[in-house]
């Protein structure tokens, strides 16, 4: 399937945002999921494309493991994770026969699947397509940026934790964005602090300050005020970190609206 | 390093030289002749180089951010505390080389006399330089590290890897195929989203017949510096590493609690075990390192056990 003359399967997608880091384990998938949920809460139709082929985390986070992917005339039908069909998802996780099966592929094979994910998934009409990526600056990232370039993505949300090891990798990711012409929408500092469920004291478990300093050094927006409350989300069971079991923190309509408001401010809707 | 086409099927594949994307590639004829399927001569060269390396340990995960590099660095520090033990630490995370920072080595190559470190991080002139390489080029770098670095007489070679199960992992196993790898230490955190990837890594090890020394559960628990109560920062909703290890019949080498000082020591390039010798995390690291030493000693081939120590 080629996107050459026709707009193809991404024709109905208004905005594309990539979530990148360079560093592993900083919360890219968690933030991609939360972003999608917040956008849905703001009344948007959202798709999530999970291009982490070795470690696809999104199906579990949205409790969609084991769902089947169907074909239609335009290609693969993405999996809807909710009754209202406002969030759809495509991940290699759906294509594995056994969940513990390792995807042990070299670059060229990964590139080929990513191209298919971009051109052969029937996304339909979406307000936003959130693209979750694996750590690094390699095949998957180049393939994704190349395949999405004709559709002018809004840009990238870059995620870090405060510590120097993370910031070190993320600096290189910012260079990747610059070299590939990908605009950085903002930098999110995750896991800034852990709120003790016993005494509510917040401890900086992964050092502090790295994210803000990096944003300043690189001249990219630091999603600061919001970041400290949510994007620079305190980690921990009480503070709403999604991950382990796909369960969210006790969700209140107010919390959902707050998230929605923060993210709508952070993510430009463009023209 | 020659340019390979974007859709290169791989030199070893059945399509090598025959696919549509092979047209125009400088290696097309070579691949079509089946030469790509022949073993890489570098494997024998690496075997020679590795004759002076007694024990090789890979630190893997599958999941990112669980503490592979932190653990690799502290394993190297721990093994090198005996000044008669020669230790080498090789960082094959080409895109995200963390080892120079954690070892406090941005700019230098040797730490103590008996601890040597190699990383692509040392070859980059600026901390903003990105290594935007496809698989074949990363593989070439790994080959160079193994074949062209003069490792000398080494008791332990610790290899830190990036997350995933891809080029770097296949290459390190392939290039060390003619030598003996003692085994892999697999790092995880307690939560299911981590274990999910780690199960795949264990499956990868079994597929390529890489022995597994055991699993380390990192960031197991957190002790609040204020109230001193313990809590689970990454809840083990599916039983954590313990249940996974039981299910997959793999040893659990130990659990390391999350001490906020670990991150700070790493930021400063210091050994956390020296900075905080009484921390429960240090005690956990030391116990795990001891178990790894014992595994290596017990699993040495008989002829190596008779000669020397």
């Amino acid at each position: 399937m080629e996107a050459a003359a026709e707009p193809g399967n991404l024709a109905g997608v208004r905005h594309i945002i990539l979530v990148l880091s360079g560093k592993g384990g900083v919360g890219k998938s968690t933030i991609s999921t939360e972003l999608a949920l917040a956008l849905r809460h703001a009344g948007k139709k959202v798709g999530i494309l999970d291009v982490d082929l070795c470690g696809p985390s999104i199906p579990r986070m949205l409790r969609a493991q084991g769902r089947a992917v169907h074909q239609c005339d335009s290609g693969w039908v993405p999996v809807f994770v909710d009754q209202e069909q406002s969030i759809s998802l495509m991940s290699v996780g759906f294509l594995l026969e056994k969940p513990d099966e390792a995807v042990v592929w070299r670059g060229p094979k990964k590139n080929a699947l990513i191209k298919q994910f971009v051109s052969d998934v029937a996304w339909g009409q979406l307000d936003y397509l959130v693209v979750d990526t694996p750590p690094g600056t390699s095949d998957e990232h180049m393939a994704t940026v190349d395949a999405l370039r004709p559709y002018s993505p809004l840009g990238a949300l870059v995620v870090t934790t405060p510590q120097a090891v993370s910031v070190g990798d993320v600096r290189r990711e910012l260079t990747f964005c610059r070299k590939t012409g990908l605009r950085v929408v903002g930098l999110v500092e995750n896991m800034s602090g852990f709120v003790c469920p016993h005494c509510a004291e917040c401890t900086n478990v992964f050092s502090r300050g790295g994210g803000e300093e990096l944003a300043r050094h690189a001249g990219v927006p630091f999603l600061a005020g919001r970041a400290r409350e949510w994007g620079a989300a305190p980690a921990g069971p009480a503070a709403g970190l999604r991950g382990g079991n796909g369960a969210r923190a006790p969700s209140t309509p107010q919390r959902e609206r707050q998230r929605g408001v923060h993210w709508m401010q952070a993510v430009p809707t463009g023209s | 390093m020659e340019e390979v086409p974007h859709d290169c099927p791989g030199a070893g594949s059945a399509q090598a030289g025959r696919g549509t994307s092979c047209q125009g590639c400088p290696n097309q004829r070579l691949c079509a002749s089946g030469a790509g399927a022949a073993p890489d001569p570098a494997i024998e060269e690496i075997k020679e180089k590795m004759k002076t390396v007694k024990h090789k340990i890979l630190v893997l995960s599958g999941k990112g951010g669980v503490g592979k590099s932190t653990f690799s660095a502290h394993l190297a520090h721990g093994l090198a505390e005996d000044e008669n033990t020669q230790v080498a630490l090789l960082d094959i995370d080409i895109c995200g080389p963390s080892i120079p920072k954690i070892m406090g080595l941005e700019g230098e190559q040797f730490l103590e006399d008996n601890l040597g470190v190699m990383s692509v991080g040392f070859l980059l002139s600026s901390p903003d330089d990105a290594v935007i390489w496809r698989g074949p080029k990363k593989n070439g770098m790994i080959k160079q590290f193994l074949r062209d670095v003069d490792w000398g007489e080494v008791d332990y070679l610790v290899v830190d890897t990036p997350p995933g199960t891809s080029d770097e992992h296949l290459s390190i196993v392939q290039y060390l195929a003619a030598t003996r790898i003692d085994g892999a230490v697999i790092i995880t955190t307690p939560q299911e989203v981590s274990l999910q990837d780690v199960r795949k890594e264990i499956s990868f090890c079994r597929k390529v017949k890489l022995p597994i020394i055991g699993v380390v559960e990192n960031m197991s628990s957190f002790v609040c510096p204020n109230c001193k109560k313990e809590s689970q920062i990454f809840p083990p909703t599916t039983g954590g590493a313990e249940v996974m290890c039981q299910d997959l019949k793999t040893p659990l080498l130990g659990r390391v609690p999350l001490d906020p000082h670990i991150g700070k020591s790493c930021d400063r390039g210091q050994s956390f075990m020296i900075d905080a010798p009484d921390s429960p995390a240090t005690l956990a690291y030391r116990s795990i390192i001891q178990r790894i030493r014992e595994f290596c000693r017990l699993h040495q081939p008989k002829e190596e056990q008779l000669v020397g120590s």
Side-chain angles (χ1 to χ4, degrees), chain B residues 41-101:
Chain B
I43 294 177
E44 276 303 307
E45 291 168 336
I46 291 168
K47 180 184 177 184
E48 278 308 302
K49 262 291 164 65
M50 289 287 137
K51 279 191 167 151
T52 54
V53 177
K54 272 212 194 104
H55 298 290
K56 299 165 214 70
I57 300 163
L58 304 192
V59 181
L60 303 173
S61 180
K63 185 79 183 77
V66 295
K68 286 179 293 311
S69 299
T70 305
F71 184 80
S72 299
H74 287 86
L75 175 59
H77 275 304
L79 293 168
E81 276 174 9
D82 172 4
E83 57 192 24
N84 295 317
T85 303
Q86 297 296 321
V87 182
L89 176 57
L90 171 59
D91 177 7
I92 61 167
D93 188 343
I94 310 283
C95 296
S98 303
I99 294 290
K101 174 111 230 151

Side-chain angles (χ1 to χ4, degrees), chain A residues 47-48 67-70 72 75-81 85 87-91 94 120-124 126:
Chain A
I48 308 176
R67 300 274 297 274
V69 170
H70 302 289
C72 67
W76 280 315
V77 179
V79 171
F80 288 106
V81 305
Q85 301 199 337
I87 299 189
S88 53
L89 168 61
M90 181 49 74
S91 168
F94 298 131
D120 295 353
V121 173
W123 294 106
L126 290 179

Side-chain angles (χ1 to χ4, degrees), chain B:
Chain B
M1 198 100 354
E2 282 136 7
E3 272 307 317
V4 288
H6 285 198
D7 297 324
C8 165
S13 107
Q15 278 300 301
R18 295 178 175 84
T20 43
S21 44
C22 299
Q23 304 302 325
C25 172
N27 293 326
Q28 185 183 9
R29 256 230 195 112
L30 197 65
C31 286
S33 70
D40 189 333
I43 294 177
E44 276 303 307
E45 291 168 336
I46 291 168
K47 180 184 177 184
E48 278 308 302
K49 262 291 164 65
M50 289 287 137
K51 279 191 167 151
T52 54
V53 177
K54 272 212 194 104
H55 298 290
K56 299 165 214 70
I57 300 163
L58 304 192
V59 181
L60 303 173
S61 180
K63 185 79 183 77
V66 295
K68 286 179 293 311
S69 299
T70 305
F71 184 80
S72 299
H74 287 86
L75 175 59
H77 275 304
L79 293 168
E81 276 174 9
D82 172 4
E83 57 192 24
N84 295 317
T85 303
Q86 297 296 321
V87 182
L89 176 57
L90 171 59
D91 177 7
I92 61 167
D93 188 343
I94 310 283
C95 296
S98 303
I99 294 290
K101 174 111 230 151
I102 295 177
M103 299 296 282
L105 284 179
E106 294 183 307
E108 291 162 45
Q109 201 169 336
F110 283 86
L111 198 60
E112 288 113 24
D113 282 343
N114 66 334
L115 175 52
V117 183
M118 195 58 206
S119 168
V120 81
F122 295 133
L123 308 177
L124 301 172
S125 45
S126 152
D128 293 317
D129 282 349
V131 181
I132 309 173
W133 290 357
R134 292 186 187 277
K137 209 162 168 181
K138 292 193 284 186
N139 300 337
M141 183 91 257
I142 292 169
K143 189 195 301 194
Q144 272 194 274
F145 277 153
L146 293 171
R147 185 191 57 195
D148 301 343
V149 169
D150 188 11
W151 295 101
E153 297 282 338
V154 170
D155 292 290
Y156 293 95
L157 172 64
V158 177
V159 184
D160 183 33
T161 64
T165 47
S166 190
D167 287 274
E168 297 88 331
H169 313 87
L170 285 167
S171 293
I172 191 79
V173 168
Q174 183 190 359
Y175 291 133
L176 292 177
T179 75
R180 189 183 64 88
I181 304 177
D182 291 65
V185 177
I186 304 183
I187 314 289
T188 186
T189 50
Q191 83 240 73
E192 178 55 28
V193 83
S194 208
L195 299 174
Q196 194 178 237
D197 287 352
V198 169
R199 286 190 200 98
K200 293 183 207 285
E201 197 73 17
I202 292 174
S203 153
F204 166 80
C205 290
R206 290 184 173 155
K207 243 186 200 170
V208 301
K209 301 196 184 3
L210 178 57
I212 297 173
I213 301 174
V215 172
V216 173
E217 186 186 80
N218 207 9
M219 308 193 216
S220 267
S221 59
F222 172 72
V223 176
C224 178
N226 184 47
C227 68
K228 311 292 183 220
K229 295 209 174 109
E230 193 176 293
S231 53
Q232 288 167 333
I233 189 167
F234 296 115
T237 53
T238 57
E242 184 166 11
V243 171
M244 180 191 71
C245 286
Q246 273 163 14
D247 288 346
L248 298 179
K249 300 189 182 18
T250 306
L252 177 62
L253 294 174
R255 288 194 192 87
V256 185
L258 177 57
D259 185 325
H261 291 108
I262 297 177
K264 295 196 180 110
S265 294
C266 288
D267 279 2
R268 288 197 310 263
Q270 316 270 40
S271 163
F272 166 75
M273 298 190 297
I274 304 289
D275 281 354
D278 299 321
S279 162
T282 296
L283 301 175
Y285 271 146
R286 290 197 182 286
S287 156
I288 291 166
I289 293 171
Q290 184 53 26
R291 287 188 68 173
I292 293 171
R293 264 201 209 95
E294 271 159 24
F295 180 95
C296 290
R297 194 178 53 83
L298 287 171
H299 291 84
Q300 266 175 182
K302 291 231 164 47
E303 59 275 13
E304 284 175 35
Q305 278 180 14
L306 290 172
V307 176
S309 65

